[in-house]
Amino acid sequence: MTHLHPDRLFPASEPAKSVASELYPEVRDLPLICPHGHTDPSWFADNQRFTNPAALFLTPDHYVLRMLRSRGLGYDDLGVPRKDGKPVAEARAAWRLFAANYHLFAGTPSKTWVDHSLDWAFGIKDELSAETADAIYDTIDAALATPGLLPHALLDRARVEVIATTEFALDPLVHHQKMEANGTIGRVRTTYRPDDVTDPGRLAIVENLEKFGEITGENISTWSGLINAHRNRREYFRRFGAVATDHGVPNANTADLAAPERQSLLDRVLSGKHDAADAELFRAQMMTEMALLSVEDGMVMQMHAGSRRNTDPLLMAERGTDLGADIPGTTDYVNGLRALLGRAGNEPNLRLIMFVLDETTYARELAPMAGYWPSLMVGPPWWFHDSPQGIRRYLDQVVESAGFYNLAGFNDDTRALLSIPARHDVWRREVCGFLGRWVGENRITKSTARDVAKHLSYQAAKDAYKIK
């Protein structure tokens, strides 16, 4: 039998443990603000049952898939769809393989999240294993047929106040249109992620830009027309609740080119004659342009930098993106953001939230920058660092320079719906543990710790993303 200890993740020593245990009940049941993530909007538009346990826990979760692949398990056997449509393992067989190898996740946040989800959603106490695989599969499958496991019911049960999905600039937003019609826009929102038209490293960039012009009615062959197309599209996304933009970039580079240089750069991209240096410069200039548009319309700008994406060409060719082959890289934020901050960093309407995969920059760059620039906030630990140890390293390195109130709180950044309450619970426990240690060292009072715990667990994300 598994047992989720009530004091899990709290400090082992006193008085920090007792303080954390006292703080946690005050934040445990606060509503969840989920202002950035990658859940499927069709779940909320259609509110239909999840097809099977593997589709819920296994095939959409790149954290789980990458660990299994690292031990030589094939994605065909794990039921991950292929681009060529060739058959892959059916759900129960994939689940059995996952369960037989569940021991591989010892010590990982994935196990923490899955164990929490099994207990929270299904009341399952048994450890997932080869022996329990079928019984657990049947329990989950039966529960999925009940109203309590439909997407909207799960949002209610998890006390999700706001959840944001993420869509590219060319996305028609058909699911959000359906949610607009049924009145669920507001609780569920979109986010404007224009990477499909700002990254010339994409193979279809010319076609994407041409389509961008068509759907916005703008002449994207001129720089001013291209920026107007973004202005138009951002307004359309705001119709469906968007309060933020999101930018997945390999580094934090920004640029501030003169008008003739911008036009010449666009001409090269549209002709398909751009090289890698042009692609980098175009991305950098577009980050500054997005910041200037945020100054205009007030949308919060998120920059997710430092991921070297799709490092396995075989996986990319067979199945596509977001399946576990992305690896962190080093990032220079001081020099990278110099152009953007020099142009717009003092603008009161700009808010830029930085998500960091290069942990070496926390204390050296990001925390001191957020501790100075009024436009800059440090996003929560992300991706490889969204874990108990990652959260501890984050708080240890950023708070003394940035303070608690220049942090953007927490968001789950997940594709797996049931991991949302689990991830927020880990964050809240780690925040309470961190504050408990500081109270124990007489660095802050217990009253301050209570205020900060509530802020970081709930209000910080609302404030950072300007959610009313």
Side-chain angles (χ1 to χ4, degrees), residues 415-428:
R415 288 177 168 78
L417 183 60
L418 287 184
S419 76
I420 288 176
R423 290 167 187 251
H424 282 264
D425 186 65
V426 170
W427 169 256
R428 291 173 178 186

Side-chain angles (χ1 to χ4, degrees), residues 192-204:
Y192 183 62
R193 185 162 185 165
D195 299 358
D196 50 347
V197 292
T198 59
D199 184 1
R202 292 173 177 256
L203 293 176

Side-chain angles (χ1 to χ4, degrees), residues 206-279:
V206 176
E207 293 83 355
N208 286 355
L209 285 168
E210 290 172 350
K211 185 175 180 182
F212 193 46
E214 292 171 5
I215 65 176
T216 58
E218 298 288 345
N219 178 12
I220 56 83
S221 67
T222 69
W223 192 265
S224 61
L226 176 61
I227 302 308
N228 279 335
H230 281 284
R231 190 176 282 116
N232 176 308
R233 201 64 177 155
R234 290 162 69 106
E235 182 179 1
Y236 182 70
F237 271 61
R238 289 198 299 277
R239 169 181 156 186
F240 301 100
V243 295
T245 70
D246 183 42
H247 311 277
V249 287
N251 53 53
N253 290 350
T254 60
D256 191 14
L257 301 174
E261 294 175 286
R262 296 196 300 266
Q263 185 60 51
S264 178
L265 179 60
L266 177 58
D267 292 343
R268 293 196 297 277
V269 170
L270 288 174
S271 69
K273 296 178 181 179
H274 59 283
D275 58 18
D278 288 332

Side-chain angles (χ1 to χ4, degrees), residues 41 151 178 217 278 312:
K178 186 171 183 178
D278 288 332
D312 182 352

Side-chain angles (χ1 to χ4, degrees), residues 116-191:
H116 184 285
S117 300
L118 291 174
D119 184 282
W120 176 81
F122 306 101
I124 294 170
K125 309 294 183 183
D126 291 331
E127 180 84 9
L128 184 61
S129 67
E131 291 72 29
T132 62
D134 281 334
I136 290 177
Y137 185 99
D138 291 338
T139 297
I140 297 172
D141 199 46
L144 291 179
T146 66
L149 269 294
L150 294 177
H152 286 190
L154 287 170
L155 294 182
D156 291 341
R157 185 172 175 182
R159 300 177 303 280
V160 172
E161 184 175 317
V162 173
I163 185 169
T165 62
T166 304
E167 280 70 47
F168 289 114
L170 299 179
D171 193 297
L173 300 184
V174 293
H175 302 301
H176 297 81
Q177 292 173 25
K178 186 171 183 178
M179 285 185 273
E180 181 185 50
N182 65 30
T184 53
I185 289 294
R187 186 187 203 183
V188 184
R189 302 160 180 256
T190 186
T191 300

Side-chain angles (χ1 to χ4, degrees), residues 447-461:
S447 175
T448 296
R450 286 194 178 96
D451 291 342
V452 171
K454 292 174 183 177
H455 177 74
L456 291 180
S457 296
Y458 172 72
Q459 193 63 41

Side-chain angles (χ1 to χ4, degrees), residues 49-63:
R49 68 158 282 172
F50 292 96
T51 53
N52 58 68
L56 193 60
F57 282 97
L58 177 57
T59 52
D61 195 333
H62 59 92
Y63 294 84

